[in-house]
Amino acid sequence: MDILIELQMEEIPARMQGMAEETFKRMFDAFCSDHDIKSESVRILSTPRRLALIATGLPKEQADQLIERKGPRTDAPKQALEGFFQSVGLTPDQCTQSETPKGTFWIANIEKKGQPLSDLIKTFIENVLTQFPWPKTMRWGAVPFRWIRPLHRILMLVDYTAMSGHILSIPFVKTTIGHRFLGQQTSPVINSIAEYETFLKANYVMADRATRKQTILDQVTHLAAKLGVSWNEDPGLLDEVTGLVEYPVVLEGNIDAEFMGLPKELMISVMKTHQRYFTFSNTDGTLAPYFGIVANNLTTETKGEHVRHGNEKVLRARLSDGQFYWETDKNTSLETFAEKLETIVFHQRLGTLKDKRKRIAHAARFLNQWVGLPQDLLREAADLCKADLVSGVVGEFPELQGIMGGYYATHQGKASIAKAMADHYKPLGPNDSLPRDLMGIVVALADKLDTLVGFFAIDEKPTGSKDPFALRRAALGILRLLFAAHTEHGKDINVPLDALIRNLLTEYKDVNGLNFEMDTVVTDVVAFFTERLKISLKETGYRYDMIDAILGSAQTCTLIQIKHRLDVLSEFMSMGKSVDLLSGYNRLWNILKAQKLLPTDLDIDPTLLREEAEQALYKEWQKRSIESLIATEKYEIALISFTEMKPFIDRFFDSVMVNDQDDTLRQNRLALLVAVLQSIKSFASLEEIVCETKN
C-alpha cells in the first residue's frame, strides 16, 4: 500500500521549509514505530504552498497484537480478582497462571486486532495538525488549531482512493494545485501517486526541494562561467531562494557603473538582504557589475528582458538610497557621530552607548598592558568603534554596523584604526572569522567583556536554553580572541580571569553606579567562562578528563596558561609516560584522600625523618623544586621530574609505616606526602585522568 498526504496552504516562510520537511519525516517515523508499521520508502516534498509526504510499501492494516497483561496474585481478595477479569474482558478459564518467586499470578493474553491503515493515517494527520512545532503560528477563521499560515485543503490518497470529508474543519480534496502563474490551479482528480507527480511536473512545480536547489545552483554556476566571474557562495541565500520558488529560472542583471564605487558590503547587503539576488566577484576580488535573479516563471527572450529590466530598476532605486546615505555620512566626522551615542540606550540599567564607549576604552587600555599597542591609536579605535551606529547607512542597513565604521575611518584619514573598527564585532559565531589585526582583537575583547560582565552584574545571566543577550556566544568569542592573540600575533594576555573581571566591574560601579556584590559576580562569571572553556576545548579535540585535570588546579592561571598546560599534558600522556606519572601520583592521592589532608598547612620537620626511605624522598623533593618549575611554566620538565620520583615514592610506601603509633612521626610523614603531591598538583589534578593504570 502507498499513501500520499499533501497539505495545501498559503506561502510557508522560505527559511522554515527545510525544518518542516525534517519535522514531518520525524513525526511519520515516530508514528510508524509506535504502531509497528514498516515502509519501503518515505519522501517529503515541499514548495512555498505545500508540504507533502509520499510513503510506499506500507501494509494495508496494522498487524494483530497479542498483549500480555499481568494481574493480581491468585490468592488476592475476591473483589480484586473480579475487577481484573472485568477490566480485560475475560473469564478465569480464558486466562493463565504464572508462578514466580513472589507467588502465582493471573495472566491475561489479550488479542488486539490491527486497525486499517487508512484509519490510523487520519489519526496521524490530526496529530500533525495539532502538534507540529512551527516556530510561529497563527489562527484563522473557526479552525480549532494553530498553523504557520492558513491551511486550506488536504489531499490524502491511500493507494488509488482519495479521502473525502473533513478533519478539524479542514476539507479533504481529491485534487492538487499547479504553479501559481504557469499551471492549472486545480488538477483533475488524483487517483495515484504517479498521476500526482506527473501533474506537478506538467504544471511547472518542482516539488522536491533538493532538485530545486540543485537547479538554481547549476544555473547560477553556469551564469558565472558565462560572464567570466565567480559566484559569491552563500548557502543561506541559496536555501532561502529555494523556498521562494516552485519553478526557478536564473537570469542575469547588470549594475549601473555609477554605483560601482560604493562599498562592496553595502552593495551586497542591498542585493542579498533586500532583493535576494546572487552576487559575483571578479578575479581580483572586486565586486563584478552583475547579479543573478531567480525568477519563478518561464522566460521567453522578450519576457526575460522585461523581468531583467524590472529588477535592474528596483535595484537602481535601492542603490540610490544607499549612495545618498553614503555620500551624506562621508561629510560627518566619526567624532560627531560618537557624541550622538548618548541618545541611544544600550540597556536601561547599563546606560547609553556613550557610557559603553567609555567602558570599552577603559577595558582596552587595561588589556593593552599585555599587548603594547600605540596607546593613542587604541584609545581612538575604542572610542569611535560604535560611532557608525548613528550613521545613515547603518540606520538603513543595520547589518553593516562596524563595517561602515571601517570605511568612514579610511575616508577620514584614520586607516590605522579602520580594520579594528570594522572587525570589532567579530566573531559573531563559531564559524565567523576573527579580526584581521591585533588592535581589532583588543577592541573586540573589550566590547564583548564589557557586555558579558555588565549583564552578569545586573543578574541577567543565561538560564537553561534562554540566552536573550547571547552571552554564551560572547564568552566563546572571547576565548577565540584570546587564543588568536597568542597563536596569530604572539601576544599573551596573561591576566588571571578573576582579576580581569574585577577590574571591569569596578568601572561599572564607578561610571554607572551599579550596586552589586563584587565577589559573587566575579565567581559567577569565572564559573560561566570555565564551562564555556570546557566546551571549547572539547570541540577542539582535547580529552575531557585532561581538561578537568588542568582546570582543577588552574584557579590563578590565565586562559593562555591553561591551554599551554593542556597541550603539554596531552603530549606527555601520548608519549607513553603516563604509567609512572599516574602510578606515583595515585599512591600519594589515595592515602591522603583517605586521611582528608588536602589541602593542608602541615609543616615538615626534617629531624623527624628517621627512615632512610623518607629521608631520600624528602631530599629528592627538595632537589627537584617542581613547584618552581611550574611557576616558571617549565611544565614538561616538571612532569618528567615528578615521574622520575616514582622509585622514591614506591620505596617510601614499601618500607615506611605512615600511620606510626607515634602521632608526631605520623603527622610529619603525612606532611611530606602532602608536599610531594602538591608540588605536581599545582600543575594538574591528575586524579581526574581516566587511565587503566590508575590505582
Side-chain angles (χ1 to χ4, degrees):
M1 172 184 278
D2 303 333
I3 64 167
L4 162 67
I5 302 170
E6 182 187 61
L7 309 177
Q8 302 170 14
M9 65 196 84
E10 299 292 340
E11 275 78 357
I12 309 170
R15 293 186 181 272
M16 294 185 187
Q17 291 171 28
M19 176 278 296
E21 285 193 1
E22 294 174 2
T23 302
F24 204 10
K25 173 71 162 53
R26 186 173 63 251
M27 293 182 76
F28 185 74
D29 289 344
F31 162 79
C32 290
S33 176
D34 291 344
H35 294 84
D36 195 25
I37 296 171
K38 299 186 184 303
S39 62
E40 291 179 0
S41 68
V42 179
R43 286 188 293 145
I44 306 295
L45 309 175
S46 69
T47 72
R49 297 195 295 157
R50 81 196 73 224
L51 182 62
L53 179 147
I54 297 174
T56 62
L58 296 163
K60 289 186 177 296
E61 61 181 26
Q62 186 184 25
D64 295 341
Q65 294 177 292
L66 187 63
I67 302 173
E68 183 180 276
R69 183 170 168 186
K70 185 178 179 181
R73 287 164 52 115
T74 55
D75 57 356
K78 180 180 178 182
Q79 189 174 0
L81 294 172
E82 290 176 349
F84 170 69
F85 294 130
Q86 184 176 356
S87 67
V88 297
L90 299 174
T91 66
D93 293 340
Q94 295 171 309
C95 297
T96 60
Q97 297 181 2
S98 174
E99 293 185 6
T100 72
K102 295 184 179 181
T104 303
F105 290 82
W106 281 105
I107 301 295
N109 293 304
I110 306 169
E111 185 176 345
K112 184 178 180 181
K113 187 71 174 173
Q115 299 182 59
L117 187 59
S118 57
D119 293 341
L120 290 172
I121 290 296
K122 289 181 181 178
T123 302
F124 167 68
I125 293 176
E126 184 171 338
N127 289 338
V128 168
L129 299 185
T130 56
Q131 299 175 22
F132 204 93
W134 293 108
K136 295 182 179 180
T137 57
M138 62 178 290
R139 287 195 180 278
W140 71 100
V143 174
F145 61 91
R146 301 178 67 91
W147 199 248
I148 182 65
R149 292 290 186 270
L151 175 62
H152 297 307
R153 298 167 294 274
I154 300 174
L155 167 62
M156 186 174 112
L157 191 68
V158 179
D159 266 349
Y160 300 99
T161 304
M163 293 294 146
S164 57
H166 292 75
I167 184 168
L168 298 178
S169 300
I170 305 298
F172 285 113
V173 295
K174 301 181 179 182
T175 58
T176 186
I177 50 177
H179 190 283
R180 187 182 289 276
F181 309 116
L182 302 174
Q184 297 181 42
Q185 286 307 292
T186 303
S187 71
V189 172
I190 299 296
N191 293 308
S192 69
I193 292 173
E195 286 184 9
Y196 171 77
E197 295 185 305
T198 299
F199 175 83
L200 293 182
K201 185 176 181 180
N203 285 270
Y204 305 99
V205 176
M206 293 185 188
D208 183 77
R209 180 179 176 82
T211 301
R212 282 202 315 281
K213 184 175 180 178
Q214 189 61 47
T215 299
I216 296 171
L217 181 58
D218 290 345
Q219 292 185 34
V220 171
T221 304
H222 176 75
L223 177 59
K226 172 187 151 187
L227 297 171
V229 295
S230 60
W231 170 48
N232 295 325
E233 295 187 19
D234 192 329
L237 179 60
L238 179 60
D239 276 340
E240 183 175 11
V241 173
T242 300
L244 292 173
V245 296
E246 290 185 322
Y247 192 84
V249 177
V250 177
L251 302 173
E252 168 196 346
N254 295 295
I255 305 171
D256 290 354
E258 65 178 289
F259 301 118
M260 294 308 296
L262 291 176
K264 177 180 179 179
E265 292 85 353
L266 172 57
M267 297 180 68
I268 290 177
S269 180
V270 169
M271 290 186 278
K272 170 188 171 180
T273 307
H274 297 269
Q275 300 302 128
R276 275 61 173 186
Y277 296 155
F278 292 107
T279 61
F280 304 93
S281 290
N282 297 311
T283 54
D284 61 359
T286 58
L287 191 67
Y290 314 107
F291 62 95
I293 312 155
V294 181
N296 187 30
N297 211 330
L298 278 176
T299 55
T300 61
E301 184 174 346
T302 302
K303 186 185 288 186
E305 282 295 304
H306 179 72
V307 172
R308 182 168 68 85
H309 286 310
N311 279 274
E312 289 175 347
K313 183 177 180 180
V314 172
L315 180 61
R316 190 176 302 117
R318 294 297 298 170
L319 289 176
S320 294
D321 290 342
Q323 186 179 50
F324 169 78
Y325 289 119
W326 166 241
E327 295 297 334
T328 302
D329 290 343
K330 286 195 299 184
N331 296 323
T332 305
S333 70
L334 284 167
E335 289 79 6
T336 300
F337 281 145
E339 287 303 314
K340 296 179 181 179
L341 292 175
E342 65 180 346
T343 63
I344 303 176
V345 175
F346 172 61
H347 186 277
Q348 186 175 8
R349 296 179 62 192
L350 300 178
T352 65
L353 282 176
K354 185 175 182 180
D355 297 323
K356 182 172 179 62
R357 164 191 169 194
K358 294 177 181 178
R359 295 193 302 267
I360 291 174
H362 165 81
R365 184 168 61 252
F366 180 76
L367 293 169
N368 199 36
Q369 299 175 66
W370 292 270
V371 178
L373 291 168
Q375 191 64 48
D376 56 338
L377 291 179
L378 179 61
R379 181 177 60 252
E380 186 176 34
D383 199 44
L384 299 178
C385 67
K386 300 295 181 184
D388 68 343
L389 290 176
V390 296
S391 67
V393 171
V394 174
E396 185 71 11
F397 307 100
E399 64 274 11
L400 297 179
Q401 57 185 308
I403 295 171
M404 294 311 302
Y407 278 106
Y408 298 141
T410 300
H411 180 74
Q412 296 174 20
K414 304 178 188 294
S416 54
I417 66 170
K419 289 181 181 177
M421 293 186 62
D423 295 346
H424 81 278
Y425 287 102
K426 291 178 173 291
L428 293 173
N431 299 319
D432 191 23
S433 60
L434 293 165
R436 290 165 287 177
D437 61 12
L438 187 57
M439 187 179 296
I441 287 177
V442 174
V443 177
L445 275 170
D447 183 23
K448 287 177 169 55
L449 283 164
D450 171 74
T451 298
L452 192 143
V453 301
F455 281 111
F456 266 76
I458 60 174
D459 201 29
E460 290 285 357
K461 297 173 286 189
T463 56
S465 61
K466 295 182 179 180
D467 186 10
F469 302 108
L471 300 185
R472 294 188 180 98
R473 185 177 68 188
L476 290 173
I478 290 167
L479 295 174
R480 287 185 63 193
L481 290 166
L482 287 169
F483 294 145
H486 170 71
T487 58
E488 298 180 17
H489 301 280
K491 297 292 184 179
D492 291 348
I493 303 179
N494 280 326
V495 53
L497 190 56
D498 58 344
L500 173 60
I501 295 165
R502 196 175 296 275
N503 179 278
L504 300 182
L505 286 171
T506 300
E507 189 73 2
Y508 268 105
K509 277 186 176 289
D510 295 344
V511 175
N512 292 83
L514 284 181
N515 184 24
F516 54 85
E517 181 59 45
M518 177 71 77
D519 291 340
T520 300
V521 176
V522 170
T523 300
D524 289 347
V525 176
V526 169
F528 180 72
F529 262 111
T530 300
E531 286 304 311
R532 297 302 104 192
L533 179 59
K534 285 184 179 180
I535 293 171
S536 177
L537 293 172
K538 286 178 183 176
E539 291 177 347
T540 307
Y542 293 103
R543 279 173 43 177
Y544 76 93
D545 55 341
M546 293 190 188
I547 295 171
D548 290 341
I550 294 297
L551 292 179
S553 298
Q555 290 79 4
T556 60
C557 291
T558 67
L559 294 173
I560 300 301
Q561 289 171 334
I562 288 172
K563 190 170 187 299
H564 184 196
R565 290 186 178 199
L566 190 53
D567 286 335
V568 171
L569 180 61
S570 298
E571 183 177 1
F572 190 86
M573 299 292 286
S574 68
M575 294 171 63
K577 301 177 181 180
S578 61
V579 175
D580 287 347
L581 174 67
L582 295 182
S583 177
Y585 181 94
N586 287 323
R587 293 197 76 173
L588 294 167
W589 169 256
N590 289 336
I591 190 170
L592 293 174
K593 180 177 65 172
Q595 297 289 336
K596 299 181 180 179
L597 284 176
L598 290 174
T600 182
D601 295 324
L602 293 176
D603 293 325
I604 305 171
D605 184 350
T607 63
L608 295 177
L609 300 174
R610 298 175 180 177
E611 301 286 342
E612 188 275 332
E614 60 183 329
Q615 293 172 3
L617 179 60
Y618 175 72
K619 290 177 183 178
E620 197 69 19
W621 166 69
Q622 278 198 316
K623 180 180 72 174
R624 293 182 179 275
S625 300
I626 294 174
E627 287 182 285
S628 297
L629 292 172
I630 293 170
T632 54
E633 299 189 29
K634 298 175 181 176
Y635 301 137
E636 185 174 4
I637 298 175
L639 288 172
I640 293 172
S641 188
F642 183 83
T643 300
E644 291 174 347
M645 290 181 65
K646 182 180 181 298
F648 298 91
I649 295 171
D650 289 343
R651 189 146 57 94
F652 176 93
F653 282 109
D654 292 343
S655 59
V656 177
M657 176 64 70
V658 176
N659 292 318
D660 195 276
Q661 292 182 348
D662 186 332
D663 189 60
T664 303
L665 292 180
R666 174 180 172 275
Q667 291 295 325
N668 200 57
R669 288 167 180 170
L670 289 172
L672 173 60
L673 297 181
V674 168
V676 174
L677 180 71
Q678 291 286 33
S679 66
I680 195 65
K681 193 172 173 62
S682 61
F683 169 76
S685 299
L686 298 177
E687 71 275 7
E688 298 290 344
I689 293 180
V690 177
C691 183
E692 293 180 0
T693 61
K694 281 185 73 170
N695 294 329

